[in-house]
Amino acid sequence: MPFAGPLGQRRPLGVVGGMGSFATAKFLESLARKRRAEKDQDHIPYVALSLPDITDRSQAISEGSDAPLQRILERAHWLEQAGCGAIAIPCNTAHFWVGEIKQALSVALIDVTEITAKVICGRRDAAARELRLILLGTNATMQHSLYPQTNEKCFGEKFACCRAEFQREAVQIIADVKSGNAVEARPKLKQLVDQIRPFAPDAIILGCSELSAISDGLVDDDDIVIQSAFLLTPVLPGGKRKTSS
């Protein structure tokens, strides 16, 4: 992010929000908390544009539609024109179009899937292909491998039998959070993680903004990796370099 612009000494981070609104709010809270600023002026400047009338990303991808991409680009360009020096999108599934979004912008897009992969490899000091990873997210995130994934055979036949049910539970938890039932969704997520842990993965990736937003009771666990829209501080100017969630 350049350090000069019309909105102040530091050009702000632009946040394309609304996917969903609760996840965006939790992301902004995380951005403030992880900064560990001593005074107001030390915080990361940002401009958040949360217009939630963006077509469901997972559904659009399954239908072969790029309708969400057009809306996302409209918002990203608005933030770019407003003077933002970089763009963040706290939505995993939106990163299905990460190549198109990067190409359309004249400022940097912070790729949360790329950052998350680096966090995983750095935490385990190994290449992603060498790790046993289990990913939870929307159906589109799962089907299109937006994050490093492990061949399920390494977890055995029992996991293969349970995998579809785990995914259905993850999708339902995401839907619960989007509909405002975060309090009910939190224990469901913990229960799902507890069901997965006996398979001994090196990491469980919470590859959805809604899952990351309700991960309060799990973020200190070494095997949990929240999607890195919530770990942006290390890549922003002056941020504390912290790779744990």
Side-chain angles (χ1 to χ4, degrees):
M1 291 170 59
F3 282 78
L7 296 180
Q9 183 180 6
R10 293 181 295 169
R11 293 178 68 183
L13 171 70
V15 181
V16 179
M19 299 177 283
S21 296
F22 178 74
T24 301
K26 293 295 288 185
F27 162 68
L28 295 175
E29 178 186 349
S30 178
L31 195 65
R33 288 182 180 277
K34 293 181 184 300
R35 183 65 171 185
R36 296 182 177 178
E38 295 182 2
K39 57 184 183 298
D40 289 345
Q41 293 74 19
D42 292 337
H43 279 282
I44 296 167
Y46 67 81
V47 177
L49 183 59
S50 186
L51 300 176
D53 60 334
I54 300 176
T55 307
D56 183 273
R57 279 67 60 200
S58 189
Q59 181 179 344
I61 292 168
S62 69
E63 296 173 351
S65 169
D66 67 351
L69 172 61
Q70 305 312 314
R71 294 294 184 90
I72 291 167
L73 287 178
E74 288 173 3
R75 290 148 174 75
H77 284 311
W78 187 93
L79 291 165
E80 186 179 40
Q81 292 166 12
C84 294
I87 302 294
I89 306 175
C91 172
N92 289 258
T93 312
H95 284 70
F96 175 79
W97 296 285
V98 68
E100 292 93 328
I101 297 171
K102 285 181 177 179
Q103 188 173 10
L105 294 176
S106 62
V107 298
L109 173 70
I110 299 174
D111 185 343
V112 302
T113 58
E114 180 182 321
I115 297 169
T116 301
K118 289 180 179 178
V119 167
I120 295 167
C121 296
R123 184 180 294 184
R124 298 300 181 190
D125 193 24
R129 63 179 178 275
E130 300 171 353
L131 300 174
R132 291 159 44 91
L133 306 173
I134 293 177
L135 169 65
L136 298 174
T138 64
N139 287 325
T141 298
M142 296 290 299
Q143 293 166 2
H144 294 278
S145 302
L146 298 188
Y147 285 100
Q149 296 188 54
T150 300
N151 188 325
E152 294 179 0
K153 292 180 180 179
C154 76
F155 294 110
E157 292 184 9
K158 184 177 179 181
F159 179 80
C161 294
C162 297
R163 186 67 188 91
E165 180 59 28
F166 291 159
Q167 184 57 27
R168 280 193 293 271
E169 291 180 25
V171 169
Q172 183 56 56
I173 292 169
I174 293 167
D176 288 344
V177 176
K178 287 183 178 293
S179 63
N181 295 323
V183 173
E184 297 178 12
R186 282 188 177 91
K188 291 181 182 179
L189 177 59
K190 185 178 187 309
Q191 183 179 21
L192 178 56
V193 167
D194 288 342
Q195 289 176 303
I196 291 173
R197 278 179 167 150
F199 295 100
D202 289 307
I204 302 170
I205 306 171
L206 303 186
C208 176
S209 298
E210 276 70 29
L211 298 180
S212 295
I214 60 168
S215 63
D216 312 57
L218 298 169
V219 293
D220 292 328
D221 296 344
D222 188 55
D223 61 345
I224 298 295
V225 178
I226 64 175
Q227 58 94 352
S228 284
F230 288 79
L231 297 175
L232 284 179
T233 305
V235 301
L236 296 175
K240 305 292 184 183
R241 294 195 169 272
K242 180 184 177 186
T243 57
S244 66
S245 47

